[in-house]
Amino acid sequence: MRIVIDNVGKKFKKSKKEETTALEDINFTIHEKEFVVLVGPSGCGKSTLLNIVGGLLSPSSGSIYFEDMEDEKREPTVSIVFQEIALFPWRTVYQNVIYGLEEKKMSKQDQMEKGNYYIDMVGLSEFKHAYPKQLSGGMKQRVGIGRALAVEPDLLLMDEPFSALDAQTRTLMQEELLTIWNRTQLSTLYVTHNIEEAVYLADRVIVLSRHPGRIKEIIPIDLPKMGRGDAQYRAQFDDYAEQIWQLIRQDAVDALKE
Amino acid sequence: MTKKMITNRVAFLDKKVPLYASILGIAGVLIVWEIICSLHIVSPLFLPAPTAIVTTGWDMLLSGEIVKNLVPSLYRIGVGYLIGSVVGIVVGLLLGFSKWADAIGTPIVYSIYPIPKIALLPLFVLWLGIGELSKVTIISLGVFFPVVINTYSGVKNVDPILIKAAVTFGSNHLNVIRKVILPGSLPMIFAGLKLAAGTSLLLLVAAEMIAAQSGIGSMVLHYGNLMITTKLMVGVLVLSLLGLAFNRFLQWVENRLLPWK
Ligand SMILES: Nc1ncnc2c1ncn2[C@@H]1O[C@H](COP(=O)(O)OP(=O)(O)O)[C@@H](O)[C@H]1O
Ligand SMILES: [Mg+2]
């Protein structure tokens, strides 16, 4: 199975006559069990692309499709971890996590098994019956991750999931995400503007330019998936980060001027 | 060497006031009121003493006069409020969801909204007769507007990202409404319901004063005309207790339905 992003472009109407091109000529493939990270300065169209892939926005041109699914009859499922977290405030942690399972009309028994399994995976067993407002930012986003994992999607989308968190929580959550990812091995498209985060998590990093958002370069990260933060990989890690920074730098400077 | 201490200059912001302060306030007013009356500074015809109101009230309760008037009032406000709020919520949800209903219905709602509803009572009496129907209708109408407008803006204020999340996790349109838009607009709906509680009480009393033989409102007017001020004040006391109970009840329902707030 793979997900193909085929020649996707997106234009937004600025006013009656003017249009802005948010995305242009976007072509890439997410392979099975691959972790792809989209990185680029703010306003380059990362969220736009992710929303198109998630079926929350129509592309102006091009298409997105799944290829070579094992079970041809089944509709592929895509789940999203939102930047805004977007938990349902009137649902407890457990009820949020099983939302997608309810909608799949899964039996109560299965909902409970899956729900508990994924709540445990994101480390929230103690807070199962808490409401979102009782949780810290990091805990809320764990629920968001749990909710997305629980439906066991064919493709997992994450839009700057940790950008609202403080730096320390963020580092811990990145480590935790890697651990979880190793257990689930889901095909993932992850959006961030944080270069270190991209190098830390990605199998491949896709660097986007802005105005219009195009693919500038695709960089495979040739480091072991776990333990990239260790001292022995320090030099290589920094090289990757530097390489990406040089690609983004001018665009980031331009973004500041707007 | 002299020390210059730094003190918290915004300590007044989180100064705690003991609970008895508010009780003291009310008690103070009652005591001063009682003293004024017992010193005969004001004639009891204009201002009966609190103790006199309470004892008269007790007598009226025992004689069954209060219950006799309270029951029809409760019936009118109960039925009127129920119809007004249910219709208000349904119409508000409809206006909020459907672009067509919004375009057609919202201007109508907003143009009728500013009419003081009590001005329509003579019209309703003409149409529906002097009986219960005209009073219940006016109360329903008065309740309908704050509820419909709050429900509508509640629906409009549901965070679109939550709708996106629901759709992402497989919700169809009906479930988006049921599982996201309805619970999401519930806090606003309750704000409307509380607002409407005050309106309904006002309309109840006004309608009973204009066109009724029974009810607390008509009782107040009756004793006003006879200048039996103490009994008039008992009526006012009953109404304020009714308003208080109504508010408490709504608050209780809200706390049960919105534990996540
Ligand atoms: N709904 C919209 N209408 C008009 N322009 C939009 C809309 N959404 C995004 N854009 C524009 O598209 C560009 C990319 O936005 P976005 O995808 O949010 O960037 P990123 O997530 O990389 O910061 C920006 O210039 C933004 O102003
Ligand atoms: Mg974004």
Side-chain angles (χ1 to χ4, degrees):
Chain A
M1 183 211 70
R2 61 188 168 274
I3 300 97
V4 180
I5 287 88
D6 182 16
N7 243 325
V8 166
K10 179 71 188 176
K11 289 184 166 71
F12 284 112
K13 275 221 158 58
K14 228 182 190 172
S15 57
K16 283 238 170 73
K17 286 186 185 149
E18 257 184 301
E19 278 187 336
T20 43
T21 307
L23 293 170
E24 205 172 67
D25 299 336
I26 305 291
N27 286 292
F28 65 93
T29 301
I30 304 164
H31 298 278
E32 190 146 10
K33 301 182 181 180
E34 192 185 23
F35 200 119
V36 175
V37 175
L38 273 177
V39 64
S42 95
C44 73
K46 304 184 295 293
S47 297
T48 304
L49 182 54
L50 195 101
N51 279 321
I52 292 172
V53 177
L56 298 176
L57 200 64
S58 349
S60 308
S61 58
S63 59
I64 318 271
Y65 50 89
F66 282 71
E67 239 175 19
D68 288 346
M69 298 254 308
E70 273 150 43
D71 181 357
E72 291 282 343
K73 285 186 284 287
R74 195 171 57 84
E75 280 297 305
T77 48
V78 177
S79 64
I80 305 182
V81 178
F82 295 90
Q83 182 171 11
E84 303 86 346
I85 304 183
L87 298 180
F88 303 112
W90 46 86
R91 289 181 155 243
T92 61
V93 168
Y94 175 76
Q95 290 167 335
N96 265 289
V97 169
I98 62 158
Y99 190 91
L101 307 179
E102 268 178 31
E103 296 305 67
K104 275 188 170 177
K105 310 234 166 16
M106 199 175 265
S107 76
K108 279 269 182 301
Q109 182 62 34
D110 293 351
Q111 285 179 24
M112 202 149 80
E113 265 166 38
K114 284 251 157 64
N116 287 337
Y117 177 75
Y118 284 101
I119 286 173
D120 183 54
M121 189 182 283
V122 296
L124 285 174
S125 295
E126 276 176 63
F127 298 94
K128 227 175 115 175
H129 300 297
Y131 285 100
K133 70 156 187 190
Q134 296 164 294
L135 306 177
S136 69
M139 276 154 61
K140 280 186 194 147
Q141 194 55 292
R142 283 176 208 213
V143 182
I145 294 171
R147 178 175 66 178
L149 294 178
V151 294
E152 299 180 341
D154 299 297
L155 176 64
L156 176 66
L157 302 176
M158 303 178 92
D159 188 1
E160 310 208 26
F162 305 143
S163 62
L165 308 179
D166 64 82
Q168 288 159 16
T169 311
R170 184 180 183 131
T171 307
L172 294 175
M173 292 290 287
Q174 287 167 4
E175 288 170 11
E176 214 170 292
L177 178 64
L178 262 191
T179 315
I180 290 171
W181 190 87
N182 257 314
R183 286 173 70 178
T184 56
Q185 304 265 320
L186 293 170
S187 308
T188 305
L189 180 61
Y190 187 103
V191 159
T192 183
H193 64 260
N194 184 313
I195 295 170
E196 273 73 29
E197 186 168 273
V199 179
Y200 186 72
L201 296 169
D203 293 320
R204 281 191 299 157
V205 175
I206 298 182
V207 182
L208 286 184
S209 67
R210 59 197 291 282
H211 288 327
R214 285 167 177 264
I215 293 180
K216 212 163 197 175
E217 198 148 331
I218 299 183
I219 303 171
I221 305 292
D222 199 8
L223 290 172
K225 191 87 191 176
M226 297 298 280
R228 287 181 186 175
D230 296 351
Q232 63 185 114
Y233 302 116
R234 172 69 40 168
Q236 281 164 284
F237 191 104
D238 288 348
D239 283 347
Y240 279 122
E242 179 61 22
Q243 185 189 352
I244 295 168
W245 174 233
Q246 289 311 327
L247 287 167
I248 290 177
R249 191 186 170 96
Q250 193 51 50
D251 276 340
V253 170
D254 291 344
L256 266 183
K257 289 178 190 151
E258 271 173 19
Chain B
M1 206 165 67
T2 55
K3 281 193 206 168
K4 301 276 190 198
M5 282 294 190
I6 307 274
T7 55
N8 177 3
R9 285 178 291 160
V10 290
F12 63 89
L13 284 179
D14 40 37
K15 194 171 172 94
K16 292 275 184 296
V17 177
L19 184 70
Y20 62 79
S22 16
I23 300 167
L24 223 60
I26 294 174
V29 170
L30 287 175
I31 290 168
V32 170
W33 181 356
E34 187 71 37
I35 291 172
I36 289 174
C37 293
S38 60
L39 293 178
H40 301 291
I41 298 172
V42 190
S43 153
L45 181 63
F46 295 116
L47 188 68
T51 47
I53 295 172
V54 172
T55 46
T56 311
W58 183 247
D59 290 342
M60 287 166 77
L61 194 65
L62 293 184
S63 75
E65 190 179 357
I66 289 183
V67 176
K68 193 188 84 196
N69 286 297
L70 191 58
V71 169
S73 289
L74 283 178
Y75 167 79
R76 287 165 194 150
I77 201 170
V79 175
Y81 189 85
L82 199 71
I83 294 175
S85 49
V86 169
V87 177
I89 291 171
V90 171
V91 173
L93 290 176
L94 219 67
L95 295 183
F97 298 143
S98 153
K99 296 250 152 78
W100 272 98
D102 192 0
I104 296 167
T106 308
I108 300 176
V109 168
Y110 274 93
S111 53
I112 302 177
Y113 176 55
I115 300 174
K117 301 303 162 305
I118 196 66
L120 297 176
L121 185 62
L123 190 65
F124 287 150
V125 170
L126 205 69
W127 287 349
L128 307 169
I130 192 97
E132 296 305 316
L133 193 57
S134 54
K135 287 184 270 295
V136 168
T137 305
I138 198 104
I139 293 170
S140 303
L141 200 69
V143 169
F144 171 78
F145 282 96
V147 173
V148 80
I149 285 171
N150 268 55
T151 306
Y152 172 79
S153 45
V155 172
K156 290 284 169 196
N157 280 326
V158 171
D159 193 345
I161 193 76
L162 294 181
I163 297 173
K164 286 185 182 174
V167 171
T168 299
F169 291 105
S171 293
N172 54 25
H173 283 199
L174 186 69
N175 276 358
V176 168
I177 293 172
R178 214 163 55 82
K179 292 177 153 183
V180 180
I181 293 178
L182 190 59
S185 45
L186 219 47
M188 282 291 276
I189 293 178
F190 263 98
L193 287 175
K194 284 187 201 162
L195 212 63
T199 313
S200 68
L201 210 61
L202 192 77
L203 287 172
L204 171 77
V205 175
E208 286 180 342
M209 284 183 167
I210 294 171
Q213 301 306 318
S214 63
I216 302 291
S218 94
M219 186 183 95
V220 167
L221 187 70
H222 174 72
Y223 288 122
N225 289 339
L226 297 178
M227 296 220 281
I228 307 176
T229 323
T230 318
K231 291 193 169 182
L232 182 157
M233 292 295 270
V234 171
V236 173
L237 182 65
V238 170
L239 287 173
S240 52
L241 289 179
L242 190 63
L244 204 66
F246 204 170
N247 244 313
R248 277 295 159 92
F249 171 71
L250 285 174
Q251 191 64 56
W252 177 79
V253 177
E254 184 177 3
N255 289 344
R256 305 226 77 193
L257 283 181
L258 306 175
W260 50 276
K261 262 279 148 187

